[in-house]
Amino acid sequence: MLAMDQGVVEEWLSEFKTLPDSAVSTYAASLKDKGALVPALYKVIRENYSDLLEPVCHQLFEFYRSGEPQLQRFTLQFLPELLWSLLSVSAARDPHTSGCIEALLLGIYNLEIVDKDGQSKVLSFTVPSLSKPSVYHEPSAIGSMALTEGALANHGLSRVVYSGPHLQRETFTAQNRFEVLTFLLLCYNAALSYMTSTSLQSLCQLSSRVCICGYPRQQMRRYKGISTRMTVTSEFLVQLITGIHYALCNGEVELGSKALDDVLYRAQLELFPEALLVGNAIKSSLHGAALKSNNKEGARSIQVEITPTSSRISRNAVTSLSIRGHRWKRHEPLSLVDSETAHGGVVIPEISVTGVSGERMPNGDSLRPRPDGRGQIDGDMLGATSEVSLDLRGHDSGTRGQEVRRQKSVRRLVENEGSGSASTGRSQY
């Protein structure tokens, strides 16, 4: 440990002892401005034989016992590193070097399991229902749920799970070690949104080391630390996965992915169903997701995709009404108004007429081109009228005669407007 880091830690130890009670809140708010203090404290915790370890642990416990939320969160950020120091020393069977760390962790545990009046605390957790939306899911994305009598009876009910009361512990034993550590991780996960990136990295490293030590994957990770296998519980792994999930979604993608794989690797070896269920669910939800956010100092949140609740219908949706309207537009007959506007400059709809040039049509008209240059327009209009007349063959004779007379009047009107005089148009017939 460098002399500069040691000086920073010693100054931190001395200044808190002289503070009056009225200045604790101001002092707690000023801790975030001391950038060199947190790295120096990490170095002290990692050196088990440091002379500053015992006073540092005592100071962190005083922070937590003060009841100031900011001082408590300052202590909790070192919890992953403290847990690894305790587990590594226990695996090395050298408990004399971890006495102050055990005292600190047991002190935090005993403070958290009781309320302000000293009574045992019972924690309650509400299990979300799949039939109601949450930040993690939408009922419409799951699919239709069978409306059975039992489902309707339990629709408005919420399942509540209770934890506690917990017994006070005076020392760590092989039976209660992971019970205490699991509860401490639960307290740490409750304050995840306040943890720094250094603390999240320490949590990921703790998860990987605990799960791979003594197993073949340790050689793959090229970790040269302790090679002794550490006993874990399923509840402890579930709490680790909860913190890893938050770290994954808040900038620690590489370390978080490795830690999640290592925890699932250990859960498969130990056949822990709870850890496998939670870990695989998180891994499936992150599959294909864009975890590209490297903003570690900005707002922290878990990225989820929520299905929009309002139904959206496309404007171009094909309906039976649009099909009928499209069909009537295509087969609408050419009226007098359409003929006048078409010859007046509006685009004339192109109608295909199957017939040879010069062939006499049933109404006595001809499709032969005119020498005066009006043959193209007249031919188009005659073709249109002749097509209409062909379509009317199946009607009665009275209706057919009226339609033919109307078509001839339309043709003469168009020819008169095109030539500029009515007499010229009539002389051609």
Side-chain angles (χ1 to χ4, degrees):
M1 186 176 181
L2 299 178
M4 181 179 63
D5 296 332
Q6 184 175 357
V8 172
V9 174
E10 291 176 352
E11 180 183 359
W12 170 73
L13 291 173
S14 60
E15 64 183 359
F16 181 74
K17 296 178 181 180
T18 59
L19 283 177
D21 295 339
S22 59
V24 173
S25 300
T26 306
Y27 172 76
S30 64
L31 284 176
K32 61 182 180 180
D33 299 330
K34 299 181 179 182
L37 176 61
V38 174
L41 291 178
Y42 270 105
K43 293 180 181 179
V44 172
I45 297 174
R46 288 165 184 168
E47 296 179 5
N48 294 327
Y49 296 94
S50 175
D51 296 335
L52 295 175
L53 181 59
E54 184 175 353
V56 164
C57 290
H58 179 74
Q59 182 88 324
L60 292 177
F61 177 70
E62 292 294 331
F63 276 13
Y64 208 90
R65 192 173 61 173
S66 66
E68 180 66 30
Q70 293 184 356
L71 292 180
Q72 290 180 341
R73 291 194 291 265
F74 182 85
T75 302
L76 282 178
Q77 69 177 326
F78 301 103
L79 185 63
E81 200 66 35
L82 292 170
L83 292 184
W84 171 245
S85 296
L86 176 65
L87 292 176
S88 61
V89 169
S90 300
R93 302 184 183 277
D94 188 11
H96 300 287
T97 60
S98 62
C100 55
I101 296 179
E102 289 186 4
L104 172 60
L105 296 178
L106 287 173
I108 297 175
Y109 168 81
N110 291 326
L111 287 175
E112 284 293 335
I113 63 174
V114 296
D115 55 15
K116 296 180 180 179
D117 299 329
Q119 301 296 326
S120 297
K121 188 187 302 183
V122 178
L123 304 178
S124 60
F125 306 90
T126 302
V127 179
S129 174
L130 293 179
S131 61
K132 296 181 180 180
S134 68
V135 296
Y136 296 100
H137 82 288
E138 281 287 335
S140 58
I142 300 176
S144 60
M145 301 179 65
L147 295 178
T148 60
E149 183 178 355
L152 291 175
N154 298 328
H155 177 71
L157 300 179
S158 298
R159 182 183 176 187
V160 181
V161 179
Y162 298 95
S163 174
H166 298 275
L167 300 176
Q168 291 190 359
R169 304 295 182 183
E170 297 181 359
T171 182
F172 278 110
T173 63
Q175 289 77 18
N176 65 17
R177 177 180 291 111
F178 279 95
E179 177 187 348
V180 175
L181 298 185
T182 302
F183 186 83
L184 291 176
L185 278 179
L186 178 65
C187 300
Y188 177 84
N189 291 334
L192 269 176
S193 58
Y194 301 99
M195 296 298 109
T196 61
S197 59
T198 307
S199 181
L200 296 178
Q201 293 172 7
S202 178
L203 176 67
C204 295
Q205 294 172 357
L206 165 70
S207 305
S208 296
R209 292 171 181 175
V210 169
C211 294
I212 68 174
C213 281
Y215 289 91
R217 180 167 286 199
Q218 183 178 5
Q219 305 299 328
M220 299 173 57
R221 291 280 188 257
R222 296 180 180 179
Y223 174 64
K224 299 180 180 180
I226 299 173
S227 59
T228 305
R229 295 184 180 182
M230 298 182 183
T231 304
V232 294
T233 61
S234 180
E235 295 79 7
F236 183 78
L237 294 185
V238 170
Q239 295 300 327
L240 287 179
I241 292 173
T242 304
I244 292 171
H245 186 199
Y246 184 85
L248 270 170
C249 299
N250 288 274
E252 305 299 335
V253 180
E254 184 177 357
L255 283 177
S257 300
K258 290 182 179 180
L260 183 59
D261 291 339
D262 293 336
V263 172
L264 287 175
Y265 169 77
R266 183 63 181 272
Q268 290 174 356
L269 294 176
E270 302 286 352
L271 296 179
F272 289 148
E274 297 85 359
L276 288 173
L277 179 62
V278 177
N280 286 323
I282 292 176
K283 193 172 184 179
S284 299
S285 65
L286 297 177
H287 180 69
L291 297 178
K292 300 179 180 179
S293 177
N294 294 323
N295 186 13
K296 300 179 181 180
E297 301 297 333
R300 301 181 184 274
S301 62
I302 296 179
Q303 302 174 0
V304 293
E305 181 179 356
I306 300 180
T307 307
T309 55
S310 60
S311 59
R312 300 176 181 177
I313 302 177
S314 175
R315 296 182 178 180
N316 299 326
V318 179
T319 61
S320 59
L321 182 61
S322 63
I323 294 176
R324 289 198 299 269
H326 183 68
R327 183 169 64 249
W328 301 141
K329 287 182 180 180
R330 292 185 59 186
H331 298 282
E332 185 177 1
L334 187 64
S335 61
L336 178 60
V337 178
D338 295 334
S339 302
E340 294 176 358
T341 56
H343 192 68
V346 183
V347 178
I348 302 175
E350 185 176 345
I351 303 176
S352 175
V353 180
T354 57
V356 183
S357 178
E359 183 178 358
R360 183 66 60 180
M361 304 306 292
N363 59 357
D365 300 325
S366 175
L367 295 177
R368 184 178 294 109
R370 306 292 178 82
D372 54 358
R374 299 193 306 272
Q376 182 65 31
I377 299 179
D378 296 340
D380 292 342
M381 296 305 297
L382 288 173
T385 56
S386 63
E387 182 177 346
V388 176
S389 64
L390 287 174
D391 294 337
L392 298 174
R393 289 180 182 180
H395 293 74
D396 58 295
S397 58
T399 307
R400 179 179 177 183
Q402 294 178 2
E403 186 65 21
V404 170
R405 287 193 296 272
R406 187 184 66 83
Q407 292 169 2
K408 287 185 178 182
S409 62
V410 173
R411 184 190 66 243
R412 293 192 183 101
L413 179 60
V414 173
E415 289 175 352
N416 292 338
E417 290 179 356
S419 61
S421 61
S423 59
T424 305
R426 289 193 297 272
S427 63
Q428 295 178 0
Y429 293 88

